[in-house]
Amino acid sequence: MTPPDPQRLSLNTATVKQQWTLAQAIDGCARHGVRGISPWRDKLAAMGLQKAVSAIKANDLSVTGLCRGGFFTAKDWLDDNRRAIEEAHALEADCLVLVVGGLPQGSKDLGHARERVQECISNILPEARAAGVPLAIEPLHPMQAADRACVNTLEQALDMCDALGEGVGVAVDVYHVWWDPKLEEQIRRAGRKRILGYHICDWLVPTRDLAFDRGMMGDGVIDLPLIRSWIESAGYTGFHEVEIFSEHDWWRRDADEVMRAMKERYLRAS
Amino acid sequence: MTPPDPQRLSLNTATVKQQWTLAQAIDGCARHGVRGISPWRDKLAAMGLQKAVSAIKANDLSVTGLCRGGFFTAKDWLDDNRRAIEEAHALEADCLVLVVGGLPQGSKDLGHARERVQECISNILPEARAAGVPLAIEPLHPMQAADRACVNTLEQALDMCDALGEGVGVAVDVYHVWWDPKLEEQIRRAGRKRILGYHICDWLVPTRDLAFDRGMMGDGVIDLPLIRSWIESAGYTGFHEVEIFSEHDWWRRDADEVMRAMKERYLRAS
């Protein structure tokens, strides 16, 4: 297997969300030789879109994704997703990541929630295509089906892609899909065309929280080199984005230490 | 849809594990008119097998399952599963529930762990068949893949059943499978022959713990009547077993109160 390529490492800004503004994260990536960045929209709004675009260009970073569109359960989902598409366009992002939302308040109708997700994506897809912004459906871990995303397997996401056509694909985040008995098969099915992003971190044992207890690569049980080999065999040549929500550990550390650990672990354990 | 039938309600003793011994749970079922019971083996050992068999017969209860066999990652898995089969036979249990175990200590090889599970089941299956004890593979929620069970979807469990042949089926626990986009399809596939147990509770939002924060039926987001309709359409006519691990709530209440709530919620929200 080929070793990981440091030129393809990307920082998802959630990894240092407690420590750095977006301006600091852009500067940090440049300083640490990290070539990709994937900003979250709250940080982007705080910095201002034009300033962010300029700083990212000035540092010659690639925007490997914009987090996030989706949440079709929200009242203002249409306007919000339109704005997200415009922002992703301005940033020349590789994709807009869609965290699709879970069950609407008070509902237990998962089937309907899923149909609605597909309808909403089909609604925003023409604008995304026109803007040249690929939409990346991110299947989230089944433990987040109720509150964050009712798309929970790669197979389900790819079925949606097939129904929706061009301009939509998937973001494969190992944290959400590592357990899936059909992972290899569905990564192969996705192929180069549908894989729009690849996110890495690790699954800790024990995991103390359903959302904010992700591990740094190498600290958990995910066979990252194996999954990377599947992703690469499928033809994916994009960035590998490190996204770690870690209330108990990495969010409490100095951000430069996080960057150094991320680079070291990327080479050693991914 | 037919209403829930109180004659088919069963108590999984984990629901009152902090409050009652097995003797108390048997007595409690009889007192509250609950016709089924599914004991855990630690409680069974504490009471003594023969005493338990006598008390269960004296109260005319059905043993809807014995929890648990499996954990093929343990050193003494073979002897332990043999004992479990003998106990299930003595109790005339509808099935022996297999929680298959996760990754072996220090391993990240999920594929191998899964192959090993199938080998181990095939190893104990002749004895189980001879004893007339059906083995019920229980797919566990993907969030427990590393530490409790590497069988995580009904589809995966049924693929194993197909490979293993007669004498093995599945325990469908709504907590573990409610999120699965293929649930209806796979329940239909399982059919009467493969569905050996049906466990109910609810998924709370938010969920505060990965193992011990299950809800009472009606307190969460699972559409229990819908899933029951699928189970019944598939031909299942067995008991509906209430299994609630609840460190923050139900384990802290008076057990008779739990029994009353369970009966009421079974009729109203299952």
Side-chain angles (χ1 to χ4, degrees):
Chain A
M1 200 184 320
T2 52
D5 175 1
Q7 294 300 311
R8 290 165 70 186
L9 179 60
S10 172
L11 172 73
N12 183 299
T13 63
T15 306
V16 288
K17 73 173 270 186
Q18 301 294 347
Q19 300 99 318
W20 276 350
T21 63
L22 180 53
Q24 289 174 307
I26 293 167
D27 183 58
C29 283
R31 214 157 8 94
H32 287 273
V34 171
R35 308 306 313 141
I37 191 165
S38 179
W40 278 69
R41 291 177 61 216
D42 53 344
K43 300 259 176 187
L44 184 64
M47 182 175 188
L49 180 61
Q50 285 319 315
K51 271 195 184 169
V53 168
S54 303
I56 286 166
K57 284 210 169 145
N59 287 287
D60 196 26
L61 302 182
S62 292
V63 177
T64 60
L66 176 64
C67 293
R68 59 170 177 65
F71 263 84
F72 301 113
T73 41
K75 242 190 181 155
D76 67 337
W77 70 270
L78 185 56
D79 284 343
D80 189 59
N81 277 280
R82 282 176 170 159
R83 279 193 300 273
I85 290 167
E86 284 167 21
E87 291 163 14
H89 173 76
L91 290 163
E92 296 174 32
D94 290 344
C95 63
L96 172 64
V97 174
L98 301 183
V99 175
V100 300
L103 286 167
Q105 191 66 34
S107 167
K108 301 185 182 191
D109 193 342
L110 203 49
H112 182 257
R114 286 164 170 168
E115 284 167 17
R116 187 178 148 75
V117 164
Q118 190 168 313
E119 278 168 28
C120 291
I121 297 176
S122 115
N123 202 304
I124 59 170
L125 191 51
E127 286 174 57
R129 283 180 188 141
V133 173
L135 300 178
I137 303 173
E138 184 171 14
L140 253 56
H141 196 285
M143 70 187 171
Q144 299 180 329
D147 50 353
R148 290 187 56 80
C150 60
V151 175
N152 305 103
T153 65
L154 198 49
E155 182 173 23
Q156 182 194 8
L158 290 169
D159 286 349
M160 270 189 197
C161 290
D162 286 349
L164 288 162
E166 296 294 314
V168 60
V170 293
V172 178
D173 184 319
V174 295
Y175 195 75
H176 296 304
V177 300
W178 74 278
W179 59 271
D180 187 348
K182 302 181 86 172
L183 184 57
E184 182 180 9
E185 171 194 311
Q186 293 299 317
I187 286 175
R188 199 182 310 123
R189 169 186 171 192
R192 186 189 186 117
K193 186 184 150 197
R194 294 289 193 197
I195 303 174
L196 301 177
Y198 179 53
H199 301 185
I200 56 176
C201 67
D202 215 335
W203 179 277
L204 299 176
V205 179
T207 290
R208 295 159 290 178
D209 184 274
L210 275 77
F212 304 121
D213 196 24
R214 299 188 185 195
M216 183 62 75
M217 296 81 76
D219 286 343
V221 297
I222 303 180
D223 190 340
L224 288 159
L226 180 68
I227 299 180
R228 179 167 65 83
S229 76
W230 295 341
I231 289 282
E232 290 177 347
S233 295
Y236 178 75
T237 55
F239 279 79
H240 302 173
E241 189 179 312
V242 176
E243 184 177 33
I244 300 174
F245 303 117
S246 172
E247 207 159 57
H248 301 294
D249 189 350
W250 298 98
W251 283 351
R252 298 187 181 195
R253 301 201 198 193
D254 175 77
D256 284 298
E257 183 194 337
V258 177
M259 296 296 280
R260 283 190 296 272
M262 178 179 96
K263 283 175 64 181
E264 191 265 321
R265 297 300 188 82
Y266 177 65
L267 291 176
R268 182 159 67 75
S270 304
Chain B
M1 200 185 319
T2 53
D5 174 2
Q7 293 301 311
R8 291 166 69 187
L9 178 60
S10 172
L11 172 74
N12 183 299
T13 62
T15 306
V16 288
K17 75 174 268 186
Q18 301 295 348
Q19 300 99 318
W20 277 349
T21 63
L22 180 52
Q24 289 173 308
I26 292 166
D27 183 59
C29 283
R31 211 157 11 93
H32 288 273
V34 170
R35 308 305 314 140
I37 191 166
S38 179
W40 278 69
R41 290 177 61 216
D42 54 344
K43 300 259 176 189
L44 184 63
M47 183 174 188
L49 180 61
Q50 285 320 316
K51 269 195 184 169
V53 168
S54 303
I56 285 167
K57 283 210 170 145
N59 286 288
D60 196 26
L61 301 182
S62 292
V63 177
T64 60
L66 176 64
C67 293
R68 57 168 178 67
F71 263 84
F72 301 113
T73 43
K75 243 190 180 154
D76 67 337
W77 69 270
L78 184 55
D79 284 343
D80 190 59
N81 277 279
R82 282 176 171 158
R83 279 193 300 273
I85 289 167
E86 284 167 22
E87 291 163 16
H89 172 77
L91 289 164
E92 297 174 31
D94 290 344
C95 62
L96 173 63
V97 174
L98 301 183
V99 175
V100 300
L103 287 167
Q105 191 68 32
S107 167
K108 301 185 183 191
D109 194 343
L110 203 49
H112 182 257
R114 287 164 170 168
E115 284 166 17
R116 188 176 148 75
V117 163
Q118 190 169 314
E119 278 167 30
C120 291
I121 296 176
S122 114
N123 202 304
I124 60 171
L125 192 51
E127 285 175 58
R129 283 180 187 140
V133 173
L135 300 178
I137 302 173
E138 184 171 14
L140 254 55
H141 196 284
M143 69 186 172
Q144 299 181 328
D147 50 354
R148 290 186 56 81
C150 61
V151 174
N152 305 104
T153 65
L154 198 49
E155 182 173 23
Q156 181 194 7
L158 290 169
D159 286 349
M160 271 189 195
C161 290
D162 286 349
L164 289 161
E166 296 294 312
V168 60
V170 294
V172 177
D173 184 320
V174 294
Y175 195 74
H176 297 304
V177 300
W178 72 278
W179 58 271
D180 187 347
K182 301 180 87 173
L183 183 58
E184 181 180 9
E185 172 193 311
Q186 294 298 318
I187 285 175
R188 198 181 312 121
R189 170 187 170 191
R192 186 189 186 116
K193 184 183 149 198
R194 292 291 193 195
I195 303 174
L196 301 178
Y198 178 54
H199 301 184
I200 57 176
C201 67
D202 215 333
W203 179 277
L204 298 176
V205 179
T207 291
R208 295 159 290 178
D209 185 275
L210 276 77
F212 304 122
D213 195 24
R214 299 189 185 194
M216 183 62 76
M217 296 82 77
D219 286 342
V221 298
I222 302 179
D223 190 340
L224 289 159
L226 180 68
I227 299 179
R228 179 168 65 84
S229 76
W230 295 341
I231 291 280
E232 290 177 347
S233 295
Y236 179 74
T237 55
F239 278 80
H240 303 172
E241 188 179 311
V242 176
E243 183 178 34
I244 301 175
F245 303 116
S246 171
E247 208 159 57
H248 302 293
D249 190 350
W250 298 99
W251 283 351
R252 297 185 182 197
R253 302 201 197 193
D254 175 78
D256 285 298
E257 183 195 337
V258 177
M259 296 294 282
R260 282 190 296 270
M262 180 179 95
K263 284 175 62 181
E264 190 265 321
R265 297 301 188 83
Y266 178 65
L267 291 177
R268 181 158 67 76
S270 303

